[in-house]
Amino acid sequence: MAYVVTENCIRCKYTDCVDVCPVDCFREGPNFLAIDPEECIDCSLCVPECPAEAIFAEDDVPLAQRHMIPLNAELARQWPAITARHAAPPDADDWNGQTGKFPLLER
């Protein structure tokens, strides 16, 4: 079982989770982070670090967010690894907690 980044990360893209990942399994896209399920070792260190509370164990992903499981795997194959934290977008706090952000995902 891997961990999964869900929709609340879209346009927030805080990278606090990246610093604690021992295997560098995060991948970075234009406005979202994904977790590579092949690299994730299920350590859960990233979960409490996410200010957007957007990371879940695969079995615990809310039903309305289950579409994010295969999407993380797909995007992880396309996007480069991110291995160091950087500043969140200036409006990240404004987007945190907003619903319906899936159409805003940039690939």
Side-chain angles (χ1 to χ4, degrees):
M1 169 181 59
Y3 279 75
V4 176
V5 181
T6 58
E7 190 174 314
N8 200 43
C9 181
I10 298 170
R11 303 224 39 190
C12 289
K13 202 173 100 170
Y14 300 105
T15 56
D16 306 55
C17 51
V18 172
D19 273 348
V20 298
C21 182
V23 294
D24 298 330
C25 70
F26 282 89
R27 304 295 181 256
E28 183 177 27
N31 68 349
F32 181 71
L33 298 177
I35 292 176
D36 184 337
E38 299 296 321
E39 298 292 327
C40 180
I41 59 170
D42 309 322
C43 70
S44 78
L45 292 174
C46 56
V47 175
E49 297 301 316
C50 180
E53 298 179 353
I55 303 173
F56 294 85
E58 185 174 336
D59 290 345
D60 296 333
V61 173
L63 186 58
Q65 296 289 305
R66 305 283 298 165
H67 63 282
M68 300 302 287
I69 297 171
L71 183 63
N72 271 247
E74 174 192 333
L75 297 175
R77 288 189 298 272
Q78 299 171 15
W79 289 348
I82 176 173
T83 58
R85 179 182 181 194
H86 55 74
D91 61 348
D93 291 340
D94 296 335
W95 285 101
N96 190 2
Q98 297 292 323
T99 59
K101 295 194 294 184
F102 188 73
L104 302 174
L105 176 67
E106 296 176 29
R107 294 175 182 242

